[in-house]
Amino acid sequence: MKPQILARETVYRGYLTVERLQVRLADDAQVWLEAERHGDAVVVLPYDAERRCALVVRLFRAPVFDTTGEEVLEEACAGMIGNEDAETAARREANEELGATLKSLEFVGRFWSSPGVSTERQSMFLAPYSAADRVGAGGGLAAEHEGITVVERTLAELATDVDQGRIADGKLATLVLALRHRRPELF
């Protein structure tokens, strides 16, 4: 027997939507499960091969602060896909958040961010850049109140932080590992 959605109730609608799904499982059991929906996202790690560094963002995240008390989280540049394709969204987010123009993108993969509770899929990219591609200050859109600080980190430091468990953002850790796998000479 295949799983089947029997009923759906919207319990919250705002920036995100939370639904309760009544599901018949493969073993014929019926359960209620929650699903959070807010759309798909892009994630990009711009890296400078010549200077062996990458651009990352630091910003406040309410759930992280509420859980740990940490006021700032270091992350890969990321954002929601609007009425555009993933590559266009990645370039837009890099411009808004990092002040960088990205000419080429290398697709890493499309991943479920938290498949037990969320419908979000993240399209991840690596992107070469140079100092000349930094055309603005970045920081995000004022209307979104992101309070982003742009940081240029060496690839060696990022790799060491991943290896020692100091990168808390799974998106950033994934992209650093992908870059190290694809371009080990940069590390």
Side-chain angles (χ1 to χ4, degrees):
M1 170 177 274
K2 291 185 175 188
Q4 180 183 6
I5 304 293
L6 302 174
R8 176 186 316 266
E9 300 173 1
T10 300
V11 295
Y12 176 81
R13 187 180 309 274
Y15 169 74
L16 55 85
T17 299
V18 177
E19 294 178 334
R20 289 186 71 226
L21 304 174
Q22 185 181 29
V23 181
R24 177 178 291 128
L25 302 174
D27 66 0
D28 204 34
Q30 291 186 26
V31 297
W32 283 93
L33 301 169
E34 288 80 28
E36 177 272 334
R37 299 177 184 279
H38 67 268
D40 289 338
V42 293
V43 187
V44 62
L45 181 65
Y47 66 94
D48 184 323
E50 183 177 313
R51 295 182 305 124
R52 296 181 185 207
C53 60
L55 294 173
V56 299
V57 298
R58 291 183 181 154
L59 68 160
F60 174 80
R61 293 295 197 189
V64 173
F65 178 71
D66 182 50
T67 302
T68 68
E70 292 180 47
E71 296 178 29
V72 175
L73 183 65
E74 186 171 80
E75 299 183 26
C77 172
M80 303 309 298
I81 298 173
N83 295 322
E84 61 208 332
D85 61 41
E87 287 191 4
T88 301
R91 286 185 173 93
R92 176 182 48 75
E93 287 295 332
N95 189 271
E96 291 173 4
E97 292 189 1
L98 303 170
T101 299
L102 302 179
K103 296 177 181 108
S104 65
L105 297 168
E106 180 182 346
F107 183 68
V108 173
R110 190 170 185 215
F111 307 98
W112 295 101
S113 61
S114 186
V117 297
S118 180
T119 63
E120 179 190 73
R121 289 173 289 182
Q122 300 173 342
S123 295
M124 293 192 176
F125 299 92
L126 297 169
Y129 82 99
S130 69
D133 297 322
R134 301 272 317 267
V135 296
L141 299 177
E144 293 180 3
H145 305 283
E146 292 176 294
I148 293 171
T149 300
V150 180
V151 180
E152 199 168 60
R153 301 265 324 268
T154 70
L155 295 175
E157 290 172 340
L158 283 169
T160 297
D161 284 351
V162 168
D163 291 344
Q164 297 187 3
R166 292 191 297 255
I167 299 289
D169 176 41
K171 304 177 308 297
L172 179 56
T174 298
L175 287 172
V176 169
L177 291 169
L179 181 59
R180 186 165 64 179
H181 177 73
R182 293 173 184 205
R183 300 284 310 271
E185 74 278 7
L186 298 179
F187 293 83

